[in-house]
Structure formats: C-alpha cells, structure tokens
Amino acid sequence: MKLSQFNFNLPESLLASEPSEQRDESRLMVLHRDSGKIEHKIFKDVLDYFDDKDVMILNNTKVFPARMYGNKEKTGATIEVFLLRELNKELRLWDVLVDPARKIRVGNKLYFGDDDLLVAEVVDNTTSRGRTIRFLFDGTDEEFRKNIEILGETPLPKYIKRKATPEDKFRYQTIYAKNEGAVAAPTAGLHFSRELMKRLELKGVDFAEVTLHVGLGTFRTVEVEDLTKHKMDSEQFIISEEAARVVNKGIDAKRRICAVGTTSMRAIESSVSADKHLKAANDWTSKFIYPPYDFSIANSMITNFHTPQSTLLVMIAAFAGYENVMNAYEVAVKEKYRFYSYGDAMLII
C-alpha cells in the first residue's frame, strides 16, 4: 500500500490540546471488524464488551520529564534539550535532540537550572538534531534523577501549543505506569480510571502488563510513498513470563484478547512463538506493521484517533481493514471526535 492512501482532511480544531475532564468519560467509537458497523459510546462503556477471562494487555511504561531547557556556555543562548534515552548509567551518557541544533557543537557545555543544578557536555553528533551528551554530576543516581525531575518538563507533543502544567504531569501518564523510560505516553491507556479498572476486574477481566518504552520514532513522519521502505526507530520492550502466561491462557480459552494501544500491539507482535503464542522477552523492536498483516495474538484493540499518514493509522488499517478504518475516520471527523494524544478512543472488535 502507498502512503498517500492514508491521507484525509483533519481540521486543526479536532487536535485535542487538553485531556477530557474525567479519564473514562472521553468519547469511544466502537468499530466492528467483520461488518464495519460503528457505535458511538463513552469510554467507560468498554465494560459492556468484555467478560470473564478476557484479557487486556497494558503497556506499563512510565513517561519521564524529558524536555529540559539549558543555556549554552559563553553566549547564554537558551537551548531545548529533549532526552531520548540513557546510553550509559555510570557515565551519564544520554541520546538527546537539541533545538536550535545549528548552535550546538561537540565540546559545548550546557547549564541547566538557575544555580546550574546540572551541567552537560556535548560529546558526539548523531543526526542533524541529535547529540550525545554527558552530564557532569558527582552525586548518586537517585540525586541525579531527582534533578531531572526538578528541571524537566512533561514532554507533551509539539502540536500542543502551550506550556506543560502540573496537571499534565499526572494526566499525560497512565494510572498503571510503572517502568520509567518513555518520552511519550502510550495514549490509549490514558482513558482508564481506577474505578473502571476495578469494575473490569470485578467482571473477571485479566490484565497482562508489558513494557514498551515509547520513543519519538513512533511519531516520526513517514517520508516514503512505498510503505515497505519506511524504517521505524528501535524501542525497548519487555514481556514477563507472567504476562505471557496470562495472555496464552486467554488465547487457549479462545477469549477476547485486547491490545490497549499500538505500543502494546507492537510489543506482543514482536515476540510470537511458532504456534502463535506470546513469548517472554527483553529486547528491542523496530517492527512496522502495515497492510496486509496477519496478527497473531490480539483479536481486539483500543486506540486513539491518529493523524493522517502516520505509522499508527497504517497499523490500525492493517488490523481493522483499510476501508473500515478510512470510513470510521471520515465519520470521526464529521462527528467531531478529538484526535491524537489527549483525544478520544476507538475500540476495534
């Protein structure tokens, strides 16, 4: 399939810059894969579509405050530093993006915080905006993390044209986030409230937690018309023996297995055994799912509404069928569903 087939008109007014008032009261579109039928619900209505021994697969990655602002030595120019991933804990080496990149060269020092709470040195260039930096810090790892917490901002996507607030720190994070390492939230999970999780539990739904540390590559623009030529950035994922056991039990019992979010789906599809069961793993994946694709683990999924020509929309089309999805998106625009990270949700069954 070609990238241009995934274009549609998305009015800017439908990009959600604020979360819904209550997590579980965002809107929910239910899309039936077999018939293309669409239902309009509220997110907490997912309860009606799941029963005893069904399984929901959640991505428990935790977003860290990855966006920092520092000053360049000598000139004092303000530089945005976006922490992508830690390369070496002992040496405090990090893979980052810098903006404006043209001002930042190897050997430059950057100072963070009013009293230079952290200082970093640029040690390498990686891409046009990418750099490797080393934090010059003598304290413990705990103290270092605490300083990142103080200096860093919630890494809201760039389309949200406002400063991150203290509320974003809580709302741009799932309630079950545990393993720190993501620079973007697994947004389908943002709709789950504690009350809804409890009610699903009481109904007998099993939860399997996996981890995929979401990187910016998930949102990278596709720049090739031929989808087979697009390369995804690598992201770390972890599937425990326990998570694999819960999911495989559900598969064997022919229950509804629901991947909550495209990141959960990428993690489980990156670790499939020969007999189409889930395998425990601690690995990296650069898997790009596009039509036609034969899914092995999940038979349903929850996802947000994605932007035109994104890898996320392409994956949804592979799962629910191209015509079904493009039609559903046309309806979503007409019905003014909210798109992207803080937007509404879709359940595909």
Side-chain angles (χ1 to χ4, degrees):
M1 292 196 85
K2 303 284 181 240
L3 178 67
S4 50
Q5 291 174 260
F6 293 91
N7 207 3
F8 64 94
N9 182 33
L10 176 60
E12 206 165 312
S13 59
L14 297 186
L15 291 175
S17 58
E18 303 283 348
S20 59
E21 208 160 298
Q22 300 296 328
R23 284 182 187 268
D24 57 14
E25 286 180 3
S26 51
R27 293 165 75 192
L28 176 72
M29 178 187 282
V30 182
L31 174 61
H32 295 258
R33 291 203 286 174
D34 54 355
S35 63
K37 183 181 130 188
I38 288 169
E39 299 174 86
H40 302 287
K41 303 282 184 178
I42 297 295
F43 191 79
K44 57 171 92 167
D45 296 332
V46 292
L47 205 57
D48 301 335
Y49 296 88
F50 291 89
D51 284 312
D52 191 32
K53 300 292 176 274
D54 286 343
V55 179
M56 281 188 169
I57 303 169
L58 311 172
N59 182 5
N60 67 12
T61 189
K62 189 174 187 182
V63 180
F64 66 94
R67 185 172 281 127
M68 296 168 65
Y69 294 92
N71 298 99
K72 192 180 163 191
E73 64 176 332
K74 296 188 182 125
T75 67
T78 300
I79 306 292
E80 180 187 308
V81 175
F82 195 99
L83 303 175
L84 290 176
R85 63 172 74 105
E86 189 173 42
L87 300 172
N88 185 309
K89 197 176 243 183
E90 283 68 45
L91 297 176
R92 304 203 200 285
L93 281 178
W94 282 77
D95 199 1
V96 304
L97 294 176
V98 292
D99 193 20
R102 66 182 186 283
K103 294 187 175 179
I104 298 301
R105 297 190 169 87
V106 173
N108 287 159
K109 282 202 174 71
L110 299 169
Y111 296 85
F112 300 91
D114 296 338
D115 49 359
D116 302 338
L117 200 55
L118 286 176
V119 180
E121 183 183 7
V122 181
V123 295
D124 200 5
N125 297 319
T126 51
T127 59
S128 58
R129 284 181 57 217
R131 303 287 184 272
T132 301
I133 66 172
R134 179 173 66 233
F135 284 99
L136 311 171
F137 186 77
D138 291 334
T140 64
D141 193 54
E142 201 179 328
E143 289 165 336
F144 174 66
R145 301 270 158 190
K146 206 160 151 191
N147 287 351
I148 297 277
E149 275 293 326
I150 292 166
L151 296 166
E153 268 184 15
T154 302
L156 293 179
K158 282 283 193 191
Y159 82 89
I160 295 179
K161 310 273 194 284
R162 61 174 177 80
K163 280 291 231 182
T165 65
E167 195 202 6
D168 289 313
K169 198 170 178 175
F170 162 67
R171 289 302 302 268
Y172 194 64
Q173 193 83 273
T174 63
I175 59 164
Y176 46 78
K178 285 189 188 72
N179 295 331
E180 194 172 86
V183 298
T187 53
L190 298 179
H191 304 283
F192 286 84
S193 64
R194 296 197 190 285
E195 296 72 25
L196 180 58
M197 297 276 285
K198 196 77 211 151
R199 290 173 72 193
L200 284 162
E201 240 173 77
L202 291 170
K203 215 170 171 189
V205 174
D206 289 325
F207 295 104
E209 292 188 10
V210 300
T211 303
L212 183 136
H213 291 315
V214 190
L216 285 184
T218 295
F219 308 103
R220 197 182 293 291
T221 317
V222 183
E223 287 167 348
V224 286
E225 175 66 358
D226 179 354
L227 291 176
T228 62
K229 303 264 191 307
H230 177 68
K231 297 278 182 285
M232 292 288 280
D233 287 14
S234 208
E235 292 166 317
Q236 188 185 16
F237 74 99
I238 302 156
I239 297 167
S240 67
E241 295 282 0
E242 173 58 13
R245 187 191 66 75
V246 171
V247 171
N248 292 335
K249 198 170 137 195
I251 291 172
D252 292 339
K254 299 198 167 22
R255 302 305 307 169
R256 183 163 276 171
I257 312 291
C258 181
V260 176
T262 55
T263 58
S264 297
M265 186 68 92
R266 283 184 67 228
I268 60 179
E269 284 298 318
S270 299
S271 193
V272 180
S273 68
D275 63 348
K276 303 226 166 170
H277 280 62
L278 187 60
K279 291 190 300 193
N282 186 340
D283 208 344
W284 291 75
T285 180
S286 52
K287 193 175 195 64
F288 176 34
I289 297 173
Y290 54 88
Y293 183 85
D294 185 19
F295 289 82
S296 299
I297 306 295
N299 50 26
S300 63
M301 82 179 289
I302 291 169
T303 186
N304 276 25
F305 286 93
H306 308 294
T307 46
Q309 299 190 332
S310 59
T311 58
L312 309 163
L313 174 59
V314 170
M315 181 203 282
I316 302 309
F319 187 72
Y322 174 78
E323 276 82 13
N324 282 347
V325 168
M326 296 315 279
N327 174 54
Y329 269 55
E330 206 177 299
V331 172
V333 169
K334 203 168 87 200
E335 296 293 330
K336 295 190 165 40
Y337 274 77
R338 298 160 79 242
F339 278 67
Y340 218 39
S341 303
Y342 270 151
D344 294 318
M346 179 191 266
L347 168 64
I348 304 166
I349 51 175

